[in-house]
Amino acid sequence: MSIRVTPQALQHLERLIAQRSSKGVRIRLRTRGCSGLSYVMEYVDALSDKDETLVLSDSVTLCIQSQALLFLTGTEMDYQETPTRSGFIFHNPHEKGRCGCGTSFHV
């Protein structure tokens, strides 16, 4: 599997997908920020054969943009909640650095 999803992330994805009644979630990368790349997550209403599709549970399908596979292989996707913020966290072994504001990374 190209991405490992923690139980906390899977549980949150299940809640999000159930609320929206979508087919799954797509992860892609886009050029942005000081360092170059950022993670983008979006709901999937129609599955595409251009994505790598991972069925994580009966209700969660994770689609990974084919162009992003090279940069995401080996990544762990987690979900964390703290008193001041909550969100998905990506632990990517290919990252060489991040920008100061934390919105982008480079490989």
Side-chain angles (χ1 to χ4, degrees):
M1 183 182 299
S2 58
I3 289 184
R4 184 176 107 59
V5 179
T6 66
Q8 297 86 347
L10 179 58
Q11 185 178 34
H12 195 71
L13 285 170
E14 287 172 339
R15 282 194 303 256
L16 290 174
I17 290 170
Q19 290 173 355
R20 184 150 185 297
S21 298
S22 69
K23 299 221 184 270
V25 173
R26 176 177 292 112
I27 298 174
R28 62 185 180 89
L29 297 176
R30 78 174 205 189
T31 304
R32 178 179 148 184
C34 317
S35 286
L37 297 171
S38 66
Y39 300 100
V40 176
M41 292 180 63
E42 57 197 12
Y43 289 105
V44 173
D45 294 322
L47 299 177
S48 169
D49 59 355
K50 295 180 181 179
D51 293 331
E52 178 179 329
T53 303
L54 306 170
V55 178
L56 302 177
S57 71
D58 291 339
S59 59
V60 177
T61 299
L62 187 64
C63 301
I64 304 170
Q65 178 189 34
S66 59
Q67 297 94 323
L69 282 174
L70 177 66
F71 302 107
L72 293 176
T73 299
T75 297
E76 178 187 74
M77 179 180 170
D78 193 12
Y79 182 80
Q80 297 178 355
E81 288 187 26
T82 69
T84 57
R85 63 180 271 205
S86 63
F88 290 99
I89 307 293
F90 293 90
H91 303 282
N92 188 332
H94 303 288
E95 282 187 24
K96 301 294 184 217
R98 289 191 153 262
C99 67
C101 62
T103 61
S104 63
F105 67 96
H106 65 275
V107 291

